[in-house]
Amino acid sequence: MSIIELQQLTKTYGNARGITNLTFSVEEGEIFGFIGPNGAGKSTTIRTLLGLIYPTSGSAKIFGKDIIQHGQEIKKEIGYLPSEVFYYDNMKVKDLLKYSASFYKKDCSKRMNELAARLELDVNKKIDDLSLGNKKKVGIVQGLLHEPKLIILDEPTSGLDPLMQQRFFELLQEENQKGATILFSSHILSEVQRLCDRVAIIKDGELVSLEKMSTLKENNYKRFKLEMAEPVTESSFAVDGVTELRIKDKEVSFMYKGNINAMLRHIASMEIANLWIEEPDLEEIFMHYYEKEE
């Protein structure tokens, strides 16, 4: 069953870019990645789905119900974490969370304390005394408080340190195992790779690609940097899957798409002083997707 269905969903802001004819669906129990560079239209899509802004044309359903006609009803079963969280500064964290819980007509106090303990969040502090990372934790607790069926996350890890990111991912996986469907929007590919089953790639407000995560990983590019013991020529790296080859004296760099073991066997025959293998950043990977599209 599809939990989210978009049909030609479009939102325009005069001459400014919004989203154009987005069509895809998120199945029940999926952790679905929604990725693209900043400004691609991810937040616009999410805010349209949540009824915070109205679509110009097209339609969308959540839980099989139209987002406009049944907006109020749908929202009761959604947990949402926006990319930036803003609160009443003077409130204590626990008062804010109790206020949030009051909308769901169920006792969330045990759950609130469990989540706060997991994330090391002091609920007795005032909002304006919190760091950016701790404000983000408040948003996470707020979004998961009522054990929603659908969790929508917009750039959720900004401001969290690596340890808290790890805890947050564990929390999401637990919620998913309990049956929650998750839409995870990010511009950080490694986050999406860790969590998601499928991924939609968006650029300039349009859907570029819809991939299974396994396919994206197979097609994943790695950036190789080598420091050679001796100068080499381009012919040494004339291998399928190598692009953007640059050689300067004994320094070599290139992008590689393919079986990493095959590449390691190939370079094992050379005299190497040092080797680095990096995840290319999302922009680089997108460039390959975008070029393929164009």
Side-chain angles (χ1 to χ4, degrees):
M1 174 185 156
S2 295
I3 294 292
I4 302 175
E5 291 173 80
L6 283 71
Q7 280 293 335
Q8 305 282 304
L9 194 66
T10 299
K11 174 66 183 175
T12 52
Y13 301 96
N15 294 328
R17 189 179 62 238
I19 52 172
T20 310
N21 295 332
L22 287 190
T23 300
F24 65 86
S25 60
V26 179
E27 301 306 310
E28 188 171 12
E30 258 193 313
I31 304 183
F32 187 92
F34 189 43
I35 59 175
N38 289 326
K42 302 186 299 296
S43 294
T44 299
T45 307
I46 286 172
R47 289 166 64 205
T48 308
L49 283 174
L50 292 167
L52 300 173
I53 51 179
Y54 272 47
T56 307
S57 62
S59 65
K61 290 179 180 176
I62 294 180
F63 310 128
K65 296 171 182 173
D66 183 85
I67 54 166
I68 308 293
Q69 291 170 4
H70 301 279
Q72 292 299 104
E73 194 182 324
I74 290 166
K75 286 188 187 104
K76 289 175 187 165
E77 299 292 351
I78 295 178
Y80 168 51
L81 178 63
S83 54
E84 292 178 39
V85 285
F86 301 101
Y87 297 118
Y88 299 116
D89 285 351
N90 247 344
M91 283 180 105
K92 282 189 175 174
V93 172
K94 63 181 176 186
D95 295 330
L96 174 83
L97 293 173
K98 280 176 188 168
Y99 176 62
S100 295
S102 70
F103 289 95
Y104 300 107
K105 301 194 172 39
K106 60 180 174 184
D107 183 7
C108 302
S109 47
K110 180 170 176 266
R111 169 89 167 155
M112 177 179 91
N113 292 327
E114 279 171 9
L115 289 169
R118 285 281 290 275
L119 295 170
E120 296 176 20
L121 174 65
D122 183 349
V123 295
N124 292 306
K125 280 195 166 178
K126 279 191 171 180
I127 300 283
D128 53 354
D129 293 336
L130 298 180
S131 65
L132 174 68
N134 279 320
K135 283 182 182 169
K136 199 75 179 202
K137 291 179 196 175
V138 176
I140 293 168
V141 176
Q142 195 178 23
L144 301 180
L145 199 58
H146 55 298
E147 299 182 84
K149 287 183 191 167
L150 171 63
I151 300 167
I152 295 181
L153 308 162
D154 192 358
E155 302 284 353
T157 59
S158 59
L160 294 181
D161 65 50
L163 174 68
M164 278 306 141
Q165 286 185 19
Q166 180 58 39
R167 289 220 188 138
F168 173 56
F169 291 147
E170 285 165 8
L171 263 176
L172 290 182
Q173 281 163 327
E174 285 166 26
E175 291 309 299
N176 180 243
Q177 280 156 11
K178 287 194 277 184
T181 302
I182 299 172
L183 175 66
F184 188 108
S185 158
S186 180
H187 68 280
I188 301 167
L189 187 70
S190 57
E191 292 184 349
V192 173
Q193 282 179 332
R194 283 175 66 177
L195 286 173
C196 298
D197 308 307
R198 284 191 307 141
V199 62
I201 298 176
I202 185 176
K203 181 206 179 192
D204 295 343
E206 295 186 17
L207 193 66
V208 174
S209 183
L210 197 57
E211 303 273 11
K212 279 188 175 165
M213 202 71 242
S214 52
T215 309
L216 196 66
K217 280 181 176 166
E218 279 165 24
N219 292 336
N220 203 355
Y221 291 83
K222 295 274 187 248
R223 180 166 287 292
F224 277 71
K225 290 181 185 174
L226 296 92
E227 199 180 310
M228 310 303 294
E230 299 289 332
V232 288
T233 60
E234 288 192 8
S235 60
S236 306
F237 294 93
V239 176
D240 281 350
V242 169
T243 52
E244 295 179 32
L245 177 63
R246 294 187 184 92
I247 299 176
K248 188 181 175 188
D249 301 327
K250 296 179 185 176
E251 289 177 9
V252 179
S253 75
F254 55 87
M255 292 274 275
Y256 176 66
K257 175 188 171 184
N259 185 322
I260 199 163
N261 296 298
M263 176 51 74
L264 290 172
R265 281 193 292 272
H266 177 74
I267 58 180
S269 61
M270 306 176 197
E271 287 297 316
I272 296 169
N274 219 331
L275 167 67
W276 298 265
I277 304 173
E278 300 169 348
E279 284 280 329
D281 65 28
L282 201 58
E283 292 291 335
E284 290 179 294
I285 286 178
F286 282 165
M287 288 324 295
H288 288 275
Y289 268 90
Y290 298 161
E291 282 159 14
K292 196 168 72 182
E293 277 298 296
E294 284 157 13

